[in-house]
Amino acid sequence: TGHSIGEITAACLSGVFSFEDALNLVAWRGKLMQAQEPGSMLSVNLPKDQVVPLLNNNVELALVNAPNFCVVSGSFEDMDLFEKKLSAAYPECRAIRLKTSHAFHSHYMEPAIEPFLKFLNSVQYGSVNIPFISNVTGTWITNEEAVNPGYWASHIRSTVNFSDGISELIKDESSIFIEVGPGNTLSM
């Protein structure tokens, strides 16, 4: 599995993308996302079902990282209002602003979808040779999803369903988890 952009790495290791295409996808996706309106993200130490009723059209569920750990995304101003609403509803809740420049996995990323789709249409797709988890569905990706440019384009906007993906992986009691990346954020 991968977390958000890490799913491109999982797809590359699986055989869906060549190494070169995966590098280009990551670079192009990052460039497009950075070109969008700046925004904010807030980690919330509550389950999804308690966070969702507090959301509105401007603050969205961006990530579900664990059963009791979500991230919401929106503009700086809307995030200030959301924090007040969250504090009033759940005074004991711990919420932390993420060190990020944009409201990733929200409607603020929608302008990046079409240009990314055009780029994705130029990529050569292989097959899922090693099964991996979809961040969108939280379960095993199908080959049809993996080779669909629309799946990867919508990935920019979709909620990352990491928690369900990990739940799927731990069904195999012999699983061993190793975090590969610049830190230990996910294992923490």
Side-chain angles (χ1 to χ4, degrees):
T1 190
H3 187 277
S4 186
I5 201 164
E7 189 178 339
I8 293 174
T9 301
C12 176
L13 294 171
S14 172
V16 174
F17 300 123
S18 70
F19 180 72
E20 293 76 16
D21 281 342
L23 284 176
N24 287 326
L25 285 171
V26 168
W28 187 237
R29 176 180 148 143
K31 181 179 179 180
L32 289 169
M33 292 173 82
Q34 286 297 316
Q36 304 314 307
E37 182 181 336
S40 183
M41 297 179 82
L42 180 75
S43 69
V44 180
N45 216 8
L46 286 173
K48 175 181 159 182
D49 64 335
Q50 288 179 280
V51 173
V52 168
L54 302 174
L55 301 175
N56 59 45
N57 291 338
N58 297 319
V59 177
E60 300 174 59
L61 186 65
L63 313 162
V64 181
N65 285 332
N68 293 318
F69 185 66
C70 299
V71 176
V72 296
S73 193
S75 72
F76 295 107
E77 299 79 21
D78 289 323
M79 201 59 68
D80 290 339
L81 294 171
F82 178 82
E83 279 186 283
K84 290 176 185 170
K85 189 176 181 180
L86 177 67
S87 182
Y90 299 101
E92 73 289 350
C93 176
R94 185 169 174 236
I96 300 170
R97 290 273 180 129
L98 300 181
K99 294 177 184 173
T100 185
S101 58
H102 290 74
F104 298 117
H105 296 285
S106 75
H107 69 276
Y108 290 96
M109 294 294 114
E110 285 181 9
I113 292 174
E114 193 60 37
F116 193 47
L117 181 60
K118 287 179 184 172
F119 183 79
L120 285 158
N121 284 326
S122 70
V123 171
Q124 190 76 5
Y125 293 86
S127 296
V128 176
N129 297 319
I130 300 171
F132 65 96
I133 296 290
S134 161
N135 283 178
V136 176
T137 65
T139 190
W140 299 104
I141 197 157
T142 65
N143 198 65
E144 293 75 27
E145 290 167 325
V147 300
N148 180 347
Y151 171 83
W152 296 103
S154 70
H155 202 271
I156 289 175
R157 166 76 170 88
S158 300
T159 300
V160 175
N161 197 356
F162 190 72
S163 181
D164 283 353
I166 294 298
S167 294
E168 182 69 29
L169 288 171
I170 62 175
K171 288 178 182 177
D172 178 356
E173 294 178 9
S174 65
S175 293
I176 297 173
F177 294 88
I178 301 170
E179 183 169 357
V180 178
N184 62 350
T185 304
L186 297 176
S187 56
M188 294 290 290

